[in-house]
Amino acid sequence: EAFMKFDFSKLIVIAAILLFAGMLWLEDMAFKDEISGTPRVVDGDSLVLNGEKVRLKGIDAPELQQKCEKKGQSWRCGRASTSALRKMIRSQKVDCQGTEFDRHQRLLATCFVNGLNLNKNMVKLGWAVSYGSAYKPEERQAKGQSVGIWQGKFEWPSDWRRKNPRY
C-alpha cells in the first residue's frame, strides 16, 4: 500500500531535469573547440585553419584596406597589421582554443604559436586594439610606446567598418 502512495510525478520531474542537465553538459563539451595547424592569415585578427574560419578573440585589428596616418602621411595600417600577424606565425603550427562563434560563423579563439599568445601580442605590439577589456593593459602599453597603429592617428576598426560596410 505504501508503494501505491508514492508520487511518480516527482520522480519523472527529477529524471527530466537530470536528463536536460546531462544534455547541456554534453552539448557544452561538444562545442569546446581546439584546432591546430598551419593557418592562412586573412587579416590582423582572422585566420583560416584546416578550412575553419577563426577570429582572434578579444582583439580588433585594422581592416585589410584600412589606412592610418603617420606624420601627416597616409599608410596602409591594415596591411601592416596583417603582415605583423604573418611574421609572428611564419609557417609554424598554430594552436587555437575557443568555445563560441561570431555572427559570421567564425570560431572566436585564443591562438598560440610555441606558447606565444597571438591575440595578446598583436595588441601589445600595437597592431590591434583590445575588443572589450581582455587586453587593455597591453593596449595602454602599445599606446604609451607609440608602436604599430599608435604611431599616429587611426580610426577604430569598428568605426571604419561602420563607415565602409562593403569595403
Side-chain angles (χ1 to χ4, degrees), residues 39-77:
R40 176 174 61 84
V41 175
V42 176
D43 60 25
D45 56 21
S46 303
L47 311 168
V48 175
L49 193 52
N50 302 336
E52 187 168 354
K53 294 176 183 176
V54 178
R55 173 87 158 70
L56 300 183
K57 185 177 181 176
I59 76 170
D60 198 7
E63 296 301 324
L64 200 54
Q65 300 304 318
Q66 189 172 343
K67 293 180 181 174
C68 297
E69 191 180 303
K70 179 170 43 177
K71 296 179 184 170
Q73 298 291 312
S74 176
W75 64 289
R76 295 178 166 271
C77 58

Side-chain angles (χ1 to χ4, degrees), residues 12-109:
I12 291 169
V13 169
I14 290 169
I17 290 169
L18 290 173
L19 181 64
F20 183 70
M23 288 170 52
L24 287 177
W25 179 78
L26 285 172
E27 182 180 7
D28 185 50
M29 294 307 288
F31 286 104
K32 295 234 181 298
D33 211 339
E34 293 182 24
I35 185 169
S36 296
T38 305
R40 176 174 61 84
V41 175
V42 176
D43 60 25
D45 56 21
S46 303
L47 311 168
V48 175
L49 193 52
N50 302 336
E52 187 168 354
K53 294 176 183 176
V54 178
R55 173 87 158 70
L56 300 183
K57 185 177 181 176
I59 76 170
D60 198 7
E63 296 301 324
L64 200 54
Q65 300 304 318
Q66 189 172 343
K67 293 180 181 174
C68 297
E69 191 180 303
K70 179 170 43 177
K71 296 179 184 170
Q73 298 291 312
S74 176
W75 64 289
R76 295 178 166 271
C77 58
R79 291 201 183 277
S81 175
T82 304
S83 179
L85 184 56
R86 279 195 184 113
K87 286 176 186 170
M88 274 181 228
I89 295 170
R90 291 190 202 101
S91 57
Q92 301 175 86
K93 181 180 145 209
V94 173
D95 299 305
C96 296
Q97 302 163 350
T99 58
E100 55 192 316
F101 292 82
D102 70 5
R103 61 189 175 98
H104 302 292
Q105 299 308 308
R106 297 176 295 188
L107 174 67
L108 295 172

